[in-house]
Amino acid sequence: MTENNKFASQSEGRRVRVRFAPSPTGPLHIGGVRTALYNYLFARQHGGDLVFRIEDTDTTRFVPQAEAYIIEAFDWLGIKFDEGVSFGGQYGPYRQSERRDIYKKYVKQLLDNDKAYIAFDTPEELDAKRKEIENFQYDNKTRLMMRNSLTMPKEEVDKLIAEGKQYVVRIKIDAGQEVLVDDMIRGEVRVKSDILDDKVLYKSADELPTYHLANIVDDHLMEITHVIRGEEWLPSAPLHVLLYQAFGWQDTMPRFAHLPLLLKPDGKGKLSKRDGDRLGFPVFPLDWKDEQGNVTSTGYREQGYFPEAVVNFLALLGWNPGTEQELFSLDELVDAFDISKCSKAGAKFAYEKGIWFNHEYILKKSATEIARLFEPVCREHGVKDSFERIEQVVGMMKDRVSFVKELWPLCSFFFEAPTTYDEKTAKKRWKEDSAQTLTELCTVLEGIDDFSLENQEQVVHAWIESRELKLGNVMNAWRLALVGEGKGPGMFDISAFLGKEETIARTRRAVEILK
């Protein structure tokens, strides 16, 4: 049994079910995309389900368009969910704001079983205590100093609730316990309960749970078997284990896997939008627009990346297949993925590698596929050539670019005759005898009936040899005449594409202008 299959089997024969549960507070960070991808790969590898859940209990940070953005991003990337918000399923609702009554039942259960307590401390009272006690946290050592149901008579607690006083419900964590988090990537993580604080689980102000309670209840009710999430949630894992124990759900507690952070390309710290702005790369899958429709952050899609290149790039940030292979289709990633081979250390976000992947996928795609993407650009520039002609150009030039958008400045000369000539190239390549040589070349070209690449090459080379000319001098000056600068594929590829009439016209125009 492989290590990865062992993780699946340890869920006591249950069907593998994982979830991706973003908060709709803005655009989806590329780190979140990687988390969803790893969940997808794990689910597909084990024939399981990937659930899409929206965790929107933080009403103060809710952004209306964020949910639709997240769904569109995964649709573009080709990461398919089996159930959840907008996909349906038998475990709904999958949006936490629609599950208020469900959570209240479990809050009551914790209170009734003395696993949680009600606290009335105001923000001002908490601030005062923080000033009074250095490194204050609300825990088993300080809670008896505070205003809560552990220090107040039941009658007073009931009275305050009846009067509508706002309160929170906190988990009651007792000292002297050792909490074990069994992590699929990091192994056993043991934490003393003495250092944990009594986190808020529920707020009466909006009648909604915090992330901690909602997360545990939903994972249990939706029968989630494995929780694969970012390293930033590792400090919360002991609390979540204690909540499973408080509810008596130890036997169905999911396996945890905390993925390494995505780090800045340079320096130290977690990857941020500012790094992308500073170094010129996207950190979101799609453009993010404000309510007025203005783009405030660029995305990988709009920057011209292929979705499969982004997926391939992200898969190898923090996970290594153990082989030299770098290019993987999504199906190949499913076959190769082993969560035990994820790194514990953070992964530097080498954005240049993402560009390399996009170039490799351009090479893998046919000229026809790339030409379909390039044709609208050509039409915008007034090109009237047929699709077949555009495809022919793409076939000659696609190996030179990393993005389709780079094709036009590189090969516009195929469709538009140069009107100016690069001064630096002309100074270097246009010799004293270039005008005379190219004038003679025009005469040679006029005498060629078969203007195919192979026949041109044979005739022109024979003429150069008979005249004892330097091949480089002739070809460099001719390239300047046809292209306007020193770039492009082989000269006979260019002239064969342009045809006899256009090739001669461009050559004579250069002679006239450059002299």
Side-chain angles (χ1 to χ4, degrees):
M1 179 184 295
T2 67
E3 190 71 12
N4 206 27
N5 287 331
K6 181 187 76 172
F7 292 141
S9 69
Q10 285 180 344
S11 298
E12 298 185 1
R14 294 190 294 161
R15 179 180 177 84
V16 167
R17 287 174 60 79
V18 296
R19 47 73 168 177
F20 180 66
S23 298
T25 56
L28 178 65
H29 191 273
I30 203 69
V33 174
R34 187 194 61 167
T35 298
L37 171 63
Y38 284 9
N39 275 278
Y40 172 89
L41 297 177
F42 190 85
R44 291 293 172 269
Q45 188 174 71
H46 299 296
D49 301 320
L50 176 58
V51 179
F52 179 60
R53 193 168 74 212
I54 288 291
E55 298 191 343
D56 58 348
T57 57
D58 188 349
T59 54
T60 61
R61 298 175 61 214
F62 176 74
V63 176
Q65 67 267 39
E67 183 181 307
Y69 173 95
I70 294 168
I71 293 172
E72 184 180 353
F74 286 118
D75 184 57
W76 175 66
L77 289 162
I79 297 175
K80 306 297 184 185
F81 292 90
D82 299 293
E83 63 182 78
V85 174
S86 85
F87 302 104
Q90 63 182 13
Y91 294 87
Y94 295 93
R95 193 178 286 108
Q96 288 184 337
S97 59
E98 299 172 3
R99 298 170 64 85
R100 292 172 189 262
D101 292 340
I102 296 173
Y103 302 129
K104 287 179 182 178
K105 169 187 171 183
Y106 291 98
V107 171
K108 184 177 185 302
Q109 181 178 328
L110 291 174
L111 291 170
D112 290 346
N113 293 334
D114 196 29
K115 301 295 184 181
Y117 58 94
I118 294 170
F120 295 96
D121 313 280
T122 65
E124 293 75 21
E125 289 170 336
L126 291 170
D127 285 341
K129 192 60 69 174
R130 292 186 187 102
K131 292 175 183 175
E132 177 188 335
I133 301 175
E134 188 176 0
N135 298 322
F136 168 81
Q137 70 173 15
Y138 212 121
D139 58 20
N140 59 81
K141 295 182 287 292
T142 61
R143 62 192 177 210
L144 295 182
M145 308 174 187
M146 312 302 290
R147 289 200 316 127
N148 55 58
S149 58
L150 301 177
T151 61
M152 300 163 62
K154 183 178 184 303
E155 295 76 18
E156 185 178 356
V157 171
D158 292 343
K159 179 173 177 292
L160 290 174
I161 293 174
E163 290 173 355
K165 296 292 184 183
Q166 290 188 8
Y167 64 88
V168 298
V169 174
R170 291 180 178 271
I171 186 172
K172 184 182 177 186
I173 300 179
D174 294 326
Q177 302 178 63
E178 184 177 69
V179 186
L180 171 63
V181 180
D182 187 9
D183 193 281
M184 293 187 285
I185 296 172
R186 298 161 196 281
E188 289 189 353
V189 179
R190 296 178 182 273
V191 177
K192 297 289 187 182
S193 65
D194 305 60
I195 68 171
L196 301 176
D197 59 324
D198 294 353
K199 291 287 188 191
V200 173
L201 303 179
Y202 178 83
K203 300 166 291 178
S204 68
D206 55 11
E207 297 185 296
L208 280 172
T210 61
Y211 161 81
H212 302 292
L213 179 68
N215 181 281
I216 297 307
V217 169
D218 288 348
D219 283 348
H220 175 72
L221 296 180
M222 295 178 187
E223 300 184 13
I224 300 302
T225 61
H226 300 78
V227 171
I228 303 169
R229 59 190 179 182
E231 180 188 332
E232 63 271 23
W233 297 113
L234 185 57
S236 301
L239 169 63
H240 295 174
V241 170
L242 288 173
L243 276 169
Y244 273 100
Q245 293 173 353
F247 284 118
W249 296 337
Q250 297 95 318
D251 291 343
T252 58
M253 184 164 62
R255 295 295 310 278
F256 291 101
H258 290 90
L259 305 173
L261 290 174
L262 292 183
L263 304 176
K264 297 174 181 291
D266 55 358
K268 297 181 179 179
K270 185 179 177 182
L271 176 70
S272 71
K273 177 182 178 297
R274 287 188 297 276
D275 297 314
D277 293 341
R278 176 170 56 89
L279 297 172
F281 64 88
V283 294
F284 304 119
L286 316 178
D287 277 0
W288 175 253
K289 299 178 182 179
D290 59 24
E291 293 183 359
Q292 287 72 44
N294 301 310
V295 175
T296 59
S297 300
T298 59
Y300 277 85
R301 181 179 66 183
E302 289 76 12
Q303 285 291 302
Y305 286 82
F306 296 114
E308 55 268 45
V310 176
V311 165
N312 201 154
F313 168 52
L314 289 178
L316 297 175
L317 284 174
W319 169 75
N320 190 306
T323 67
E324 296 299 314
Q325 183 177 350
E326 289 190 282
L327 296 178
F328 290 85
S329 68
L330 198 52
D331 288 342
E332 287 172 331
L333 284 171
V334 169
D335 291 337
F337 186 68
D338 183 342
I339 201 162
S340 68
K341 290 182 179 177
C342 287
S343 170
K344 298 182 182 69
K348 276 198 177 295
F349 194 80
Y351 64 92
E352 301 96 334
K353 191 70 174 180
I355 298 172
W356 178 85
F357 272 109
N358 214 62
H359 173 72
E360 291 299 311
Y361 276 89
I362 281 184
L363 296 182
K364 287 183 70 168
K365 291 179 182 293
S366 68
T368 304
E369 289 178 276
I370 302 300
R372 288 197 186 102
L373 299 173
F374 184 48
E375 183 181 18
V377 178
C378 293
R379 302 307 180 207
E380 286 174 11
H381 285 88
V383 173
K384 292 185 168 50
D385 292 57
S386 67
F387 175 81
E388 288 71 27
R389 296 262 297 168
I390 295 171
E391 183 181 3
Q392 190 179 342
V393 169
V394 167
M396 287 187 273
M397 303 297 286
K398 74 183 183 77
D399 62 339
R400 300 167 185 240
V401 299
S402 296
F403 300 94
V404 172
K405 65 184 177 183
E406 295 172 346
L407 278 170
W408 178 256
L410 195 65
C411 61
S412 59
F413 67 87
F414 281 107
F415 309 106
E416 298 176 344
T419 55
T420 60
Y421 301 90
D422 180 65
E423 191 174 322
K424 187 176 178 181
T425 305
K427 186 174 181 181
K428 185 177 181 181
R429 302 300 188 189
W430 193 264
K431 309 294 184 184
E432 288 184 4
D433 60 348
S434 291
Q436 179 182 340
T437 300
L438 291 194
T439 299
E440 288 185 35
L441 175 60
C442 286
T443 302
V444 172
L445 296 174
E446 285 173 341
I448 299 175
D449 294 325
D450 176 6
F451 213 70
S452 65
L453 184 155
E454 295 79 11
N455 193 55
Q456 275 190 76
E457 187 170 16
Q458 183 179 352
V459 172
V460 172
H461 278 184
W463 166 71
I464 290 173
E465 288 178 19
S466 69
R467 291 277 286 104
E468 297 183 348
L469 301 171
K470 289 185 178 180
L471 178 66
N473 288 349
V474 176
M475 291 300 162
N476 287 329
W478 196 25
R479 181 178 298 279
L480 181 65
L482 298 189
V483 178
E485 53 187 303
K487 66 181 183 182
M491 281 308 303
F492 297 105
D493 291 284
I494 297 172
S495 58
F497 176 85
L498 294 177
K500 183 175 177 178
E501 184 179 336
E502 178 68 11
T503 296
I504 294 171
R506 289 190 186 192
T507 306
R508 291 196 185 283
R509 189 182 304 117
V511 169
E512 182 181 340
I513 294 174
L514 294 170
K515 304 297 183 187

